[in-house]
Amino acid sequence: MNELVGPLSGTALSIEPHAHVDFGASAVDHLPQAIAHVGHQRAFVVTDKGMRATGILGRVLRILDRADIETALYEGVESNPTTRTIDDAAAQVRRFGAAAVVAVGGGSALDAAKGIALLAANRGVARDYDYTAEPPFPGLPIVAVPTTAGTGAETNGFGVIEDPVARCKVYIGHASVRPRYAILDPELTVGLPARATAATGMDALTHGIESLASKGANPLSVAYATEAIRLVSSSLVTAVADGSDLDARSRLIMGSHLAGLALTLSGLGLVHGIAHTITNHTGAVHGLALTAVLDEVMKRSVDVAESPYSLVAQAMTLPTSADTRSDARSAITAVRDLADDVKARLPLRDLGVDDSMVASIARGALEDLVSGNHPRLFAQAEIEEILTVSL
C-alpha cells in the first residue's frame, strides 16, 4: 500500500513499556546498578568468542568484580548462534543458580542470551521455545550491553537462532526475556572494525526502511524508524572512516536502538527473509547479506511502497518534490550509494552463494515469517531473479 499508515479509527495498539535505557559514554560503569535494578546480586555473562580480545569483556568483568558481584561466564556464542549453544549455556546457568543474565556483544550474543535466559528457567531444549510457545515459567531477567550498532536486539524478547538440524532460522524467546535494562555506551563500539561497522550500520538502516514499508507500520513505528534512518544515514560514513569519532558512534548506537524499537512494533520484510536464508546456506554476515539484495528488493517494491520510500528520502535529507514516486526512486539510489560508500554491498558470490543455491534460498525466503510482512508478496521466481541479478 502507498499510504504509510491508514485511517486510525477502529485501530487498536497495545504497547509494552520497553527497557530502562542508560545511554552515554561510560554508561557501562552503571552495570552493577543495572543488575540490582532487575532484582539480582549475581551475574551470568553471555558473550561471543571474540569479545575477550577487544578488551570489553575484561572491562565488564572488572566492573562486576569491584562491585563484589559473583559472576559466571559463557563466551561460546557463535556469529550465528545455534540451538545447541542455547542448550549448553542454559545448562551452565542452571548449575550456577539464580542470576541476572548479562548479554555483552553484538546481536548474536544478545539473541543467544534470550534463549539461554528462557531455557534456564524451564525444562526441555531450545527448540521447544519458539515464538509460538508459552513457557511454564518466565525467563531470567536480562541486562543488555550491545557492543555494535545495528541489530537493536536489546529492544525485543526474541532471538534469531539457527537450527542446524532443520537448516533454518527459528525465533526463540518470550516477552519475559525482553531485556529489562539496556546499556547503550558508544565507547564500547569505538574499536569495531570498519567492515563490521558498515555491516551493522546497514543492518540498522534496513530495519528502519523495512519497518516503514511493512504491513504492520503504525504511527509509533514510523516515528522511531524515521529518526533511526536519519541518525544512521548521517553518521555511518563518518564512523566507518574514523572509528574513534564518538559523536558518529553515539548517533549510530541510538539509531540502531530506535530502529529496533520500530521493528518490534511493525515487523520487517522480504529483505530479512532473503538474508536469513542466505546466512543459513553460507554463514554470511547478516548485514552484508541484507545489503546485497536491499536495493533490488526496494526497486521491485516501489509500486506498493512509494510513500514509505519517499519518507526514507526525507529522513536521508535528500532533495524532495511533490512527486513521491520520484522521491522514492531517489531514496533507493541513495541507499545503494551509501552501501557502496561504506563498501558493504558485495556480490552474493563473495558471500558464498552460487547458482545451485538460488532456488533453495528463494524457497526459504518465502517460508521465513518476516517475508509475509512485506508490502507485497513475491513469487519464488521473482526472488530467484533478485538473487541471480545480485550474484
Side-chain angles (χ1 to χ4, degrees):
M1 66 182 188
N2 276 328
E3 287 299 320
L4 216 58
V5 177
L8 290 180
S9 59
T11 298
L13 287 174
S14 179
I15 309 297
E16 291 185 11
H18 55 83
H20 179 106
V21 176
D22 197 343
F23 168 78
S26 299
V28 71
D29 291 340
H30 305 157
L31 185 54
Q33 296 94 308
I35 292 167
H37 181 87
V38 301
H40 283 270
Q41 294 80 44
R42 304 165 83 239
F44 187 91
V45 177
V46 174
T47 192
D48 61 63
K49 297 176 180 179
M51 194 55 56
R52 187 176 291 275
T54 68
I56 293 172
L57 179 59
R59 182 177 177 182
V60 165
L61 295 177
R62 286 192 298 273
I63 290 168
L64 296 175
D65 182 61
R66 285 197 299 266
D68 292 324
I69 293 174
E70 185 181 356
T71 303
L73 173 65
Y74 181 85
E75 51 185 321
V77 177
E78 315 95 324
S79 57
N80 291 299
T82 68
T83 50
R84 295 190 188 110
T85 296
I86 306 303
D87 294 340
D88 291 345
Q92 291 188 29
V93 181
R94 293 189 193 109
R95 290 192 294 270
F96 181 62
V101 174
V102 178
V104 181
S108 298
L110 271 60
D111 277 1
K114 297 166 192 174
I116 292 164
L118 184 60
L119 187 57
N122 290 278
R123 297 180 181 275
V125 295
R127 295 176 68 189
D128 297 333
Y129 294 100
D130 73 1
Y131 78 104
T132 63
E134 184 60 38
F137 302 102
L140 297 174
I142 295 176
V143 175
V145 187
T147 62
T148 64
T151 68
E154 72 279 0
T155 62
N156 63 74
F158 296 88
V160 183
I161 306 297
E162 184 174 334
D163 184 339
V165 176
R167 288 193 67 189
C168 68
K169 295 288 189 183
V170 292
Y171 298 87
I172 293 177
H174 183 255
S176 65
V177 291
R178 182 178 185 172
R180 297 189 199 174
Y181 203 111
I183 294 176
L184 307 181
D185 187 341
E187 288 181 347
L188 301 184
T189 69
V190 165
L192 199 65
R195 171 58 64 86
T197 300
T200 54
M202 288 303 299
D203 189 4
L205 185 69
T206 306
H207 288 163
I209 293 168
E210 288 213 290
S211 176
L212 284 181
S214 74
K215 292 178 181 177
N218 59 70
L220 284 174
S221 69
V222 168
Y224 286 138
T226 303
E227 182 64 5
I229 292 168
R230 187 185 73 82
L231 288 169
V232 172
S233 64
S234 65
S235 56
L236 184 56
V237 170
T238 301
V240 169
D242 178 8
S244 65
D245 189 311
L246 195 60
D247 184 63
R249 292 293 192 182
S250 299
R251 292 167 70 84
L252 274 184
I253 200 167
M254 180 57 75
S256 169
H257 183 71
L258 293 176
L261 292 174
L263 73 87
T264 299
L265 294 170
S266 66
L268 293 167
L270 180 63
V271 178
H272 272 77
I274 294 174
H276 288 161
T277 315
I278 289 170
T279 299
N280 289 340
H281 280 69
T282 70
V285 172
H286 177 63
L288 299 181
L290 290 169
T291 310
V293 298
L294 175 58
D295 69 296
E296 278 298 325
V297 173
M298 291 179 73
K299 282 193 293 187
R300 295 164 191 257
S301 305
V302 70
D303 287 346
V304 292
E306 184 177 305
S307 289
Y309 291 170
S310 68
L311 188 53
V312 173
Q314 294 176 40
M316 295 182 73
T317 65
L318 303 176
T320 55
S321 66
D323 183 351
T324 55
R325 177 60 63 91
S326 175
D327 292 349
R329 294 194 182 282
S330 294
I332 296 168
T333 300
V335 167
R336 180 184 177 117
D337 289 346
L338 176 59
D340 286 339
D341 287 344
V342 297
K343 298 181 172 56
R345 192 173 67 88
L346 304 175
L348 284 177
R349 290 191 192 279
D350 288 2
L351 303 183
V353 178
D354 61 40
D355 298 89
S356 69
M357 300 178 186
V358 166
S360 177
I361 292 172
R363 281 194 302 273
L366 280 175
E367 293 168 358
D368 194 295
L369 292 168
V370 296
S371 298
N373 199 40
H374 200 74
R376 82 171 177 87
L377 296 180
F378 279 64
Q380 180 174 327
E382 292 178 283
I383 300 175
E384 290 181 14
E385 288 177 9
I386 290 168
L387 294 166
T388 300
V389 168
S390 303
L391 284 171

